[in-house]
Amino acid sequence: MDKQSKVDATYFVGLMSGTSVDGIDAAVVKLFPSAEKEHGVEIELLAFENTPFEVQVRNSIFELFDPASATIDKVGAMNMWLGELYAQATLSVIGKCGLSPSQIFAVGSHGQTIYHAPEENVMGGYNLHCTVQIGDGAVIANRTGIPCVSDFRVADMAMGGQGAPLVPFTEYLLFNNPKKTLLMQNIGGIGNVTVLPVNASPDEVFAFDTGPGNMIIDGLVSQLFIPMIMDVNGEIGAGGQVIDELLKWMQQDKYYTMPLPKSTGRERFGQQYVAQIIEMMKVNHWKAEDVVATATYLTAWSIVDSYERYIAPQHQAEQLLIGGGGSYNKTLLRDLQHLFAPHNVQVLTQEDIGGNSDAKEAIAFALLAYYTMERLPNNIPLVTGASQPVVMGKISWPYIGRSQEA
């Protein structure tokens, strides 16, 4: 890439659709080279938009979470369909901030995870652990006329990493603090935390999935409170009481005590897990509100348990900064504040520090795409378990004769 193209590489679009499968987050950011750090950048969020998935799309994606029903033809079709939807979201958010597609240097798209198996899986002498994200980058590139970086995780996994979590790299770039140890807690379908020790260097940053975020809560609400698909503002959980027997059963999952690095997903805490809870609910005649309250408390407990188990022995944190959809669940925030109070850890949301909880991960993938296009490493090996830094992401180029104004 020549020097002139680097100078022009100011606007990027980031796309994210997470394990909650509620829609597409799209952000337009302006990137400024940082004078303080080599290869560092500063960002400005120009526009953010969330496009909810239609019911048919959401149901079709959920069908692919079950390997038995995720046939090749269905996966292939949804890969193309999501590419079209991501492209529409890209053009929409670009228009929202008054730019044209020709001004965007690249799109960074996380894609929709339908399968994530990071554990070692040796076959034929090779570790064939794998991950699958769909929403084809070539469709995005050719519908928008903008290069698209997608399929980020596999490069890290090729070097022995878990391919997750990815956002810690960008959190280090944007939030590293010379005076405070910060915990960057994202609560999407899955919860994940990035630990930023005081004035950390990259090899001091570590991160991992804390366990379920909204996934169990959403799964229960979608079955017990039809047609709702989430506990808006935590109102259902606020009306219930924690069921001690259910909480103790949930806390016994082996994931919480697994060694780092570690990551998880729907394979562990998805539909089958929710089905077990509902069956227990029927047998024990538990109230639906109490079951949701217990699942909400479990998420808060898993976050503080992770702090006590993996972080506090090394670093006393001053703040827990929460992003993602879970930051709007007032009951979850209340539980977190209560559980972290004995540790003197202040619990804040992205909005409390002038940020945007919804846009945080979309911004991250715009920033990851910038590093990909510059051919710079954009993983943290200590976080993922990879043997070395790698340049993550596959680049899809549009046909250069295509009008970018179309």
Short mmCIF file of all heavy atoms in Angstrom, two decimals, residues 56 75 100 163 192 202 206 209 254 291 297 310 329 352:
data_model
loop_
_atom_site.label_atom_id
_atom_site.label_comp_id
_atom_site.label_asym_id
_atom_site.label_seq_id
_atom_site.Cartn_x
_atom_site.Cartn_y
_atom_site.Cartn_z
N GLN A 56 -38.04 -13.87 10.05
CA GLN A 56 -37.63 -15.00 9.19
C GLN A 56 -36.12 -15.17 9.19
O GLN A 56 -35.60 -16.29 9.25
CB GLN A 56 -38.13 -14.78 7.76
CG GLN A 56 -37.78 -15.94 6.83
CD GLN A 56 -38.19 -15.66 5.39
OE1 GLN A 56 -38.68 -14.60 5.06
NE2 GLN A 56 -37.98 -16.66 4.51
N VAL A 75 -26.58 -23.31 5.14
CA VAL A 75 -25.46 -22.46 5.53
C VAL A 75 -25.01 -21.58 4.35
O VAL A 75 -24.79 -20.38 4.49
CB VAL A 75 -24.27 -23.30 6.04
CG1 VAL A 75 -23.04 -22.42 6.26
CG2 VAL A 75 -24.64 -24.03 7.33
N SER A 100 -20.20 9.33 1.01
CA SER A 100 -20.52 8.44 -0.11
C SER A 100 -19.65 7.20 0.02
O SER A 100 -18.58 7.24 0.65
CB SER A 100 -20.26 9.13 -1.44
OG SER A 100 -18.87 9.38 -1.60
N GLY A 163 -9.06 -17.86 18.52
CA GLY A 163 -9.81 -16.98 17.63
C GLY A 163 -10.75 -16.05 18.35
O GLY A 163 -11.60 -15.39 17.74
N ASN A 192 -17.59 -11.13 27.91
CA ASN A 192 -16.14 -11.24 27.85
C ASN A 192 -15.51 -10.01 28.48
O ASN A 192 -16.06 -8.92 28.43
CB ASN A 192 -15.64 -11.45 26.41
CG ASN A 192 -16.21 -10.45 25.44
OD1 ASN A 192 -15.82 -9.28 25.44
ND2 ASN A 192 -17.15 -10.88 24.60
N PRO A 202 1.30 -4.34 25.59
CA PRO A 202 0.46 -5.37 24.98
C PRO A 202 0.62 -6.76 25.61
O PRO A 202 -0.37 -7.51 25.71
CB PRO A 202 0.92 -5.38 23.51
CG PRO A 202 1.44 -4.01 23.28
CD PRO A 202 2.08 -3.59 24.58
N PHE A 206 -4.69 -9.18 29.16
CA PHE A 206 -5.28 -10.50 28.96
C PHE A 206 -6.80 -10.39 28.99
O PHE A 206 -7.35 -9.41 29.49
CB PHE A 206 -4.75 -11.54 29.96
CG PHE A 206 -5.09 -11.28 31.40
CD1 PHE A 206 -6.09 -11.99 32.04
CD2 PHE A 206 -4.35 -10.37 32.15
CE1 PHE A 206 -6.38 -11.79 33.38
CE2 PHE A 206 -4.62 -10.16 33.50
CZ PHE A 206 -5.64 -10.88 34.11
N ASP A 209 -13.61 -15.02 27.82
CA ASP A 209 -15.07 -15.03 27.97
C ASP A 209 -15.42 -15.39 29.40
O ASP A 209 -14.97 -16.42 29.92
CB ASP A 209 -15.70 -16.04 27.01
CG ASP A 209 -15.68 -15.58 25.56
OD1 ASP A 209 -15.29 -14.43 25.30
OD2 ASP A 209 -16.04 -16.39 24.69
N LYS A 254 -18.69 -26.48 34.25
CA LYS A 254 -17.22 -26.58 34.30
C LYS A 254 -16.53 -25.39 33.64
O LYS A 254 -15.34 -25.15 33.88
CB LYS A 254 -16.78 -27.88 33.63
CG LYS A 254 -17.19 -29.14 34.38
CD LYS A 254 -16.70 -30.39 33.67
CE LYS A 254 -17.13 -31.63 34.42
NZ LYS A 254 -16.68 -32.88 33.73
N VAL A 291 -37.18 -17.45 37.36
CA VAL A 291 -36.17 -18.11 36.52
C VAL A 291 -35.34 -17.06 35.77
O VAL A 291 -34.11 -17.16 35.69
CB VAL A 291 -36.84 -19.09 35.53
CG1 VAL A 291 -35.83 -19.64 34.53
CG2 VAL A 291 -37.50 -20.25 36.30
N TYR A 297 -28.96 -12.94 37.50
CA TYR A 297 -27.99 -12.94 38.60
C TYR A 297 -26.78 -13.81 38.26
O TYR A 297 -25.64 -13.47 38.61
CB TYR A 297 -28.65 -13.44 39.89
CG TYR A 297 -27.78 -13.27 41.12
CD1 TYR A 297 -27.80 -12.08 41.84
CD2 TYR A 297 -26.94 -14.29 41.54
CE1 TYR A 297 -27.01 -11.92 42.96
CE2 TYR A 297 -26.13 -14.14 42.66
CZ TYR A 297 -26.17 -12.95 43.37
OH TYR A 297 -25.37 -12.78 44.47
N TYR A 310 -9.50 -15.03 38.46
CA TYR A 310 -8.42 -14.87 37.47
C TYR A 310 -7.71 -13.50 37.50
O TYR A 310 -6.61 -13.39 36.97
CB TYR A 310 -8.96 -15.09 36.06
CG TYR A 310 -9.60 -16.43 35.84
CD1 TYR A 310 -10.99 -16.55 35.76
CD2 TYR A 310 -8.84 -17.58 35.73
CE1 TYR A 310 -11.58 -17.79 35.55
CE2 TYR A 310 -9.42 -18.83 35.52
CZ TYR A 310 -10.80 -18.91 35.44
OH TYR A 310 -11.39 -20.15 35.23
N ASN A 329 -29.66 -3.49 30.79
CA ASN A 329 -30.45 -4.31 31.72
C ASN A 329 -30.20 -3.78 33.13
O ASN A 329 -29.18 -4.06 33.75
CB ASN A 329 -30.03 -5.78 31.60
CG ASN A 329 -30.90 -6.71 32.43
OD1 ASN A 329 -31.28 -6.39 33.55
ND2 ASN A 329 -31.19 -7.88 31.88
N ASP A 352 -21.58 6.30 30.57
CA ASP A 352 -21.10 7.06 31.73
C ASP A 352 -19.78 7.77 31.44
O ASP A 352 -19.44 8.75 32.10
CB ASP A 352 -20.93 6.15 32.94
CG ASP A 352 -22.25 5.64 33.49
OD1 ASP A 352 -23.26 6.35 33.36
OD2 ASP A 352 -22.27 4.52 34.05
#
